Amino acid sequence: MKSTLYWCSALALAATQLFSTAAYSSAIQQTKGTFEDKFRQLDEVLPTPNVYRSAAGEPGEQYWQQQANYSIKVRLDEEKRRIDAAETITYFNNSPYTLKYIWIQLDQNIFKNDSMAELTATFNSKPDPSLGGVDRPARISLNQLRRQQFMTDNELGFAINKVADGRGKALDFVVVGTNMRIDLPQPLKAGDKTSLAIDFGFNIIDSDTVGGRSGYEHFPDDAREGGNDIFLLAQWYPRVAAFTDYEAWTNKEFLGRGEFTQEFGDFEVTIDVPADHIVSATGVLKNDREVLTKTQRDRLEQSRKAKRPVFVVTPEEALENEKEGTDKRKVWRFEAENVRDFAWASSRKFIWDAKGYQQGGNVQPEVMAMSFYPKEGGELWEKYSTESVIHTMEVYSRFSFDYPYPTAQSVNGPVGGMEYPMITFNGPRTILQDDGSRTYSLSEKRFLIGVVIHEIGHIYFPMIVNSDERQWTWMDEGLNSFLDGVAGREWDPTIPWGVEPRSIVDYMKSTNQVPIMTQSDSVLNLGPNAYTKPAAALNILREVILGRELFDFAFKEYAQRWAFKRPTPADFFRTMEEASGVDLDWFWRGWFYSTDHVDIALDRVYKLRLDTQDPDIDWERRRQEEADKPTSLFVQRNQAEGRKTWVELNPDVRDFHDENDRFTVTNKQRNAYQSFLDKLEPWERKTFDRAIAEDKNYYVLDFNNLGGLVMPILLQWTYTDGSQDSMYIPAEIWRRNAKSVSKLIVTDKEVLEFAVDPNWETADVDIENNYYPRKIIPSRIEAFKATRGQDHISRDIMQDAKTKLKTKEANEEEQD
Ligand SMILES: [Zn+2]
């Protein structure tokens, strides 16, 4: 199911790190007593606005960011599964500061045996010695064992062969885990630029074995002797760390979870691969005449205006291609402008299809949507990959800005789902059947459409709206999951996209949680925390709290303000408020800074009727109400036994009080009533008379906020005649008491039932306490047959000992 899958960081990360429970003391306490102001303004928590970031959440008038251009020559050694490369980085210091050194990210170093990530990986399976006297052993998966063996057998991480300045003069450098500090011979002044030349190489990891966001995948069953590989290359070159106004160098160690924070720049990359490989990469292919055949170029041209994707390399051609290799080489040359990263893929297995997306406008009127996949992707990819790419751009652009790049690509390989500028890696496959055909399940189809939408969506967030992934996973995954839910439900609303309020209910009531505003590497339960919860929160903000018009305007404003810039959480919070005109501090505080959940209970309803003050009417009503109360069991049984009271037995001694009860009206009360009316001002009299005449129903509803998270109360009620009414009570009803409030509802007709959030729009975790009166809960019960367990002692060894040893042939026969 989609809702249990989290792509990108979560799925790509095989080296799981489980964190022990982190106690979290909630939010920001204040004042005496138990009162907590859930509406306290966020400004005291957010960074102070300055010339770089304004109080509106906009880039300030002196906003700046660095730029890094790359020129890289890389060679893929297919046999050794290794790349060797030389890069030149041109670094522009646009900051107002002088820099004495430049930090470089060496993400491949995470795969070194002594990396911080490896050393801090924890192990959580322990033997349990006490179950029924029989030990239960600890468990380790064969995947984990295989990974350990691979890490032992292979030298991994970057080999840095040379670091020099633009003139070739060697520079001092220090490698610190996944980072490298290069010391500049002269400090780099504000406004200046410098060049760095780095020669490097590394052994590519087996992605299926090690896990990660790139690597190779081996196909041993291909016709070619020794099989074939698909190579996905990402985090493959030493990349300049971001230098920012809010954190200076973002050189926090790469632990595998918190992703990448990059600078924008222009790329020129030449990729030297076996001549029979097809290469997909960030950017635009510049030497198509050298690497593509005339037929392939003609097909590409055709695909620009095609209704459905056109094959540039057909499945038949790819199948032929993967039968043998070649010693010849080809060099593919790509260029990309204003991107924050560069990734590529190479294989002789690739089928290639393309279709032009006629976006219109003047930013990028035509975008080439393309997919690269092996035969294992099959019809599933042929039908849906490139179409999903285009659908994503159509929807996302509506919520943000025109897709600004010339290409958008989806590549199949060993990575479940991962994003880079103009290129994404997506994992779904078909299954080979005995008759040679390929089929795919409904869940694999949903996986493909979902993951392509999600990863292509990432080209907007964070590849263009360049949030800091190392610090805040939610800023790209949460916003992107929210929008992939919009695009996904526009493709097929019956697929669970994991963004509906009810998708997050179980997680929100769980106890082992940290707030969304937690640094990426320290987040517990990354999927629900950084994907589903922010996505569901934004869904609620859009559909329930702001409405689509206000939300969409503000969200688009955020996307456009920060396209090709670097927003922080405060910029997002401030923009959404400033552009919508709605104070949302309580919302950010509750959903992003706390672990509270939504649980509003409707615990009591009083039905009130307005007194007329006329004793002849009111006192008679009260006499009736008194009579309607139950009589005591004692009195009932005495009556049943025919037992007479003393007064009944002695009627001759009855007096005035036996004839007149306490509701008997005298002229004294009638005079008081008249005097009350006489003393009313004319407007008071008019108001009173009208209220009496209308004789409405006054209901007082007691609400309790059990979850702690303040939310609007979506109230609906049903009258005794079956008709319904509703009221939207803004969250601000909780502003003076966040725990319990009462509300007066006045109706003409009599109400049968009140319900809070009957359509499950607010992620209220306990639906049962939303009704007054309460409802009986319908559910099911299953009968089952008890079975006896087997263990070492209870197995029948006397019988088992008669078993004959099976031959290999018999085993195989059985399997058929
Ligand atoms: Zn993602």
Side-chain angles (χ1 to χ4, degrees):
M1 237 174 69
K2 161 70 166 63
S3 61
T4 59
L5 283 179
Y6 299 99
W7 294 310
C8 310
S9 47
L11 202 79
L13 190 69
T16 53
Q17 305 223 5
L18 296 175
F19 294 83
S20 58
T21 312
Y24 173 72
S25 62
S26 155
I28 306 97
Q29 299 295 330
Q30 54 154 32
T31 72
K32 285 183 181 174
T34 56
F35 176 72
E36 193 188 337
D37 184 1
K38 304 262 180 183
F39 291 81
R40 190 162 182 165
Q41 294 295 284
L42 257 193
D43 296 85
E44 58 196 28
V45 181
L46 302 180
T48 310
N50 55 41
V51 290
Y52 311 125
R53 287 163 201 280
S54 82
E58 272 184 301
E61 77 271 16
Q62 291 178 43
Y63 176 84
W64 56 268
Q65 64 188 20
Q66 309 293 68
Q67 186 180 337
N69 295 347
Y70 294 81
S71 168
I72 314 176
K73 289 185 165 57
V74 57
R75 184 178 193 282
L76 171 69
D77 186 328
E78 188 176 18
E79 289 302 300
K80 291 184 181 157
R81 289 164 175 150
R82 177 181 174 83
I83 61 162
D84 286 287
E87 73 173 344
T88 304
I89 305 171
T90 310
Y91 186 74
F92 298 82
N93 182 12
N94 300 325
S95 83
Y97 308 108
T98 298
L99 304 176
K100 286 189 280 189
Y101 42 78
I102 290 175
W103 281 96
I104 303 282
Q105 302 177 52
L106 302 178
D107 310 278
Q108 287 293 324
N109 284 1
I110 196 175
F111 301 118
K112 285 181 183 281
N113 273 320
D114 61 352
S115 72
M116 190 186 283
E118 287 300 315
L119 293 175
T120 59
T122 53
F123 186 70
N124 292 295
S125 175
K126 281 168 227 164
D128 184 343
S130 61
L131 271 181
V134 182
D135 280 2
R136 196 177 63 187
R139 305 184 76 195
I140 186 165
S141 69
L142 290 173
N143 289 332
Q144 264 176 294
L145 289 172
R146 177 174 69 161
R147 184 174 190 277
Q148 282 177 4
Q149 291 164 3
F150 186 91
M151 303 284 278
T152 308
D153 294 348
N154 292 277
E155 190 168 330
L156 302 174
F158 273 116
I160 301 292
N161 304 318
K162 185 188 92 178
V163 177
D165 67 9
R167 293 191 205 88
K169 186 172 165 288
L171 297 178
D172 290 338
F173 65 93
V174 179
V175 174
V176 186
T178 60
N179 292 303
M180 170 168 72
R181 192 192 73 228
I182 300 178
D183 298 330
L184 300 173
Q186 270 94 42
L188 182 63
K189 294 212 179 72
D192 282 0
K193 64 176 179 180
T194 190
S195 286
L196 302 169
I198 304 174
D199 289 0
F200 63 93
F202 63 84
N203 296 320
I204 302 168
I205 58 160
D206 175 349
S207 186
D208 286 341
T209 299
V210 178
R213 296 171 180 77
S214 59
Y216 71 83
E217 177 183 12
H218 185 53
F219 294 82
D221 299 332
D222 281 4
R224 178 176 180 255
E225 202 188 329
N228 288 304
D229 291 341
I230 289 177
F231 293 93
L232 303 181
L233 274 302
Q235 299 91 42
W236 61 279
Y237 57 96
R239 305 184 292 179
V240 173
F243 182 76
T244 69
D245 60 281
Y246 63 85
E247 210 202 29
W249 288 107
T250 57
N251 48 6
K252 185 182 187 303
E253 176 78 5
F254 178 42
L255 292 176
R257 168 83 79 66
E259 290 185 329
F260 314 107
T261 302
Q262 308 288 115
E263 305 286 11
F264 285 99
D266 300 334
F267 284 72
E268 244 184 60
V269 181
T270 60
I271 303 171
D272 179 346
V273 294
D276 54 357
H277 273 213
I278 293 290
V279 179
S280 159
T282 296
V284 174
L285 177 62
K286 285 300 189 184
N287 64 337
D288 55 329
R289 290 183 172 275
E290 291 165 36
V291 294
L292 302 183
T293 64
K294 171 86 171 59
T295 314
Q296 288 168 339
R297 280 181 282 132
D298 288 348
R299 289 168 178 171
L300 258 178
E301 183 57 31
Q302 264 175 44
S303 74
R304 289 176 47 202
K305 298 274 156 60
K307 184 169 188 300
R308 293 279 168 248
V310 170
F311 284 120
V312 181
V313 176
T314 67
E316 297 72 28
E317 289 163 352
L319 194 63
E320 198 56 37
N321 208 21
E322 68 171 39
K323 283 181 181 160
E324 35 184 329
T326 175
D327 291 335
K328 297 202 179 77
R329 310 280 302 178
K330 271 186 185 169
V331 178
W332 297 58
R333 189 161 61 80
F334 290 89
E335 285 180 17
E337 281 174 24
N338 210 13
V339 288
R340 46 161 264 176
D341 204 356
F342 189 103
W344 55 283
S346 184
S347 181
R348 67 174 56 81
K349 289 174 66 66
F350 282 150
I351 300 163
W352 176 3
D353 73 32
K355 175 178 152 179
Y357 166 45
Q358 302 303 326
Q359 179 176 229
N362 44 25
V363 173
Q364 192 64 249
E366 182 182 86
V367 180
M368 288 307 291
M370 304 190 283
S371 297
F372 300 78
Y373 50 97
K375 62 179 185 297
E376 287 77 5
E379 200 189 336
L380 175 62
W381 274 70
E382 183 184 332
K383 270 206 163 91
Y384 296 119
S385 174
T386 297
E387 297 289 359
S388 303
V389 170
I390 292 174
H391 174 70
T392 311
M393 292 189 281
E394 282 170 353
V395 176
Y396 274 64
S397 294
R398 217 164 67 218
F399 280 79
S400 55
F401 38 76
D402 282 2
Y403 185 86
Y405 295 130
T407 64
Q409 300 160 71
S410 166
V411 181
N412 181 242
V415 174
M418 192 57 203
E419 70 277 9
Y420 302 97
M422 298 185 237
I423 183 173
T424 62
F425 300 156
N426 303 302
R429 292 266 166 87
T430 55
I431 307 157
L432 180 63
Q433 302 298 342
D434 288 343
D435 64 0
S437 68
R438 290 190 167 274
T439 58
Y440 52 89
S441 64
L442 175 62
S443 73
E444 205 70 1
K445 175 184 168 181
R446 289 175 167 185
F447 180 18
L448 176 85
I449 296 164
V451 75
V452 171
I453 291 174
H454 181 89
E455 306 308 344
I456 292 291
H458 271 310
I459 301 180
Y460 293 76
F461 306 89
M463 296 299 146
I464 296 168
V465 179
N466 185 17
S467 59
D468 186 337
E469 297 179 86
R470 185 64 50 92
Q471 295 218 53
W472 314 113
T473 299
W474 72 265
M475 281 200 80
D476 61 301
E477 297 301 353
L479 267 59
N480 186 41
S481 295
F482 160 70
L483 272 185
D484 90 39
V486 175
R489 283 172 295 177
E490 284 191 29
W491 181 292
D492 181 355
T494 66
I495 300 175
W497 291 94
V499 294
E500 296 283 355
R502 57 184 171 273
S503 314
I504 198 60
V505 162
D506 285 344
Y507 169 71
M508 287 191 69
K509 67 182 170 193
S510 67
T511 50
N512 198 18
Q513 279 189 53
V514 292
I516 291 175
M517 281 294 290
T518 300
Q519 191 272 331
S520 302
D521 291 298
S522 302
V523 167
L524 306 176
N525 295 313
L526 186 76
N529 178 291
Y531 291 63
T532 318
K533 186 178 168 186
L538 294 177
N539 195 58
I540 291 169
L541 191 58
R542 179 175 189 237
E543 303 289 357
V544 178
I545 294 162
L546 293 180
R548 290 187 170 191
E549 197 184 344
L550 291 184
F551 179 94
D552 293 356
F553 176 83
F555 190 87
K556 193 167 196 162
E557 181 68 19
Y558 166 75
Q560 294 188 346
R561 281 177 178 182
W562 293 99
F564 297 106
K565 294 196 174 71
R566 190 186 294 290
T568 64
D571 299 316
F572 178 68
F573 298 148
R574 285 177 164 142
T575 297
M576 291 302 289
E577 286 199 358
E578 198 254 358
S580 71
V582 178
D583 177 12
L584 296 170
D585 284 9
W586 61 271
F587 185 82
W588 309 130
R589 204 176 265 284
W591 281 88
F592 288 76
Y593 284 86
S594 89
T595 53
D596 289 347
H597 60 264
V598 185
D599 184 7
I600 296 174
L602 176 52
D603 283 326
R604 191 163 292 182
V605 175
Y606 302 88
K607 183 186 173 205
L608 312 178
R609 199 164 174 198
L610 189 68
D611 274 348
T612 64
Q613 309 282 6
D614 181 345
D616 284 311
I617 297 173
D618 288 355
W619 292 30
E620 179 51 36
R621 269 192 206 162
R622 280 154 71 184
R623 174 183 286 129
Q624 196 51 50
E625 281 161 15
E626 194 64 25
D628 289 345
K629 288 182 182 164
T631 29
S632 84
L633 198 55
F634 176 89
V635 174
Q636 281 183 48
R637 285 184 176 162
N638 274 5
Q639 283 171 353
E641 286 173 10
R643 198 167 297 283
K644 293 262 192 290
T645 64
W646 186 88
V647 178
E648 283 164 347
L649 292 170
N650 302 285
D652 56 311
V653 296
R654 290 172 69 90
D655 71 354
F656 180 87
H657 293 291
D658 292 303
E659 306 306 327
N660 296 282
D661 66 7
R662 59 195 171 98
F663 299 110
T664 301
V665 181
T666 71
N667 286 335
K668 191 179 175 195
Q669 286 83 42
R670 292 190 183 101
N671 292 341
Y673 169 56
Q674 196 52 51
S675 155
F676 159 74
L677 292 180
D678 292 345
K679 281 181 187 155
L680 290 177
E681 298 287 335
W683 71 266
E684 289 175 326
R685 180 66 193 266
K686 211 172 137 195
T687 306
F688 184 69
D689 285 350
R690 177 172 160 184
I692 298 299
E694 289 177 348
D695 193 22
K696 296 201 179 204
N697 298 290
Y698 295 80
Y699 294 95
V700 178
L701 286 68
D702 286 351
F703 297 102
N704 284 303
N705 179 359
L706 306 178
L709 214 169
V710 291
M711 282 291 277
I713 300 173
L714 279 53
L715 189 65
Q716 178 183 288
W717 58 91
T718 307
Y719 295 109
T720 46
D721 66 4
S723 60
Q724 288 188 324
D725 233 327
S726 64
M727 180 185 281
Y728 176 93
I729 306 172
E732 278 76 2
I733 192 173
W734 303 103
R735 68 192 178 279
R736 290 192 210 92
N737 186 340
K739 290 184 181 142
S740 60
V741 292
S742 298
K743 177 81 186 162
L744 177 69
I745 304 285
V746 184
T747 66
D748 291 333
K749 294 185 280 188
E750 203 173 333
V751 174
L752 191 65
E753 177 199 76
F754 285 96
V756 173
D757 189 14
N759 298 315
W760 301 355
E761 294 169 76
T762 63
D764 192 316
V765 305
D766 186 354
I767 300 293
E768 312 310 336
N769 63 21
N770 290 15
Y771 292 91
Y772 201 93
R774 295 280 186 267
K775 282 181 181 299
I776 290 177
I777 306 164
S779 192
R780 303 163 53 240
I781 184 167
E782 262 180 6
F784 71 97
K785 181 178 158 72
T787 50
R788 278 181 56 193
Q790 281 278 329
D791 58 35
H792 289 281
I793 300 164
S794 60
R795 75 194 168 109
D796 186 353
I797 307 177
M798 283 174 75
Q799 175 61 21
D800 291 354
K802 299 173 195 162
T803 314
K804 284 209 178 83
L805 189 66
K806 268 188 190 161
T807 61
K808 191 166 174 257
E809 290 74 30
N811 248 327
E812 276 165 9
E813 225 162 78
E814 199 169 271
Q815 276 167 19
D816 286 349

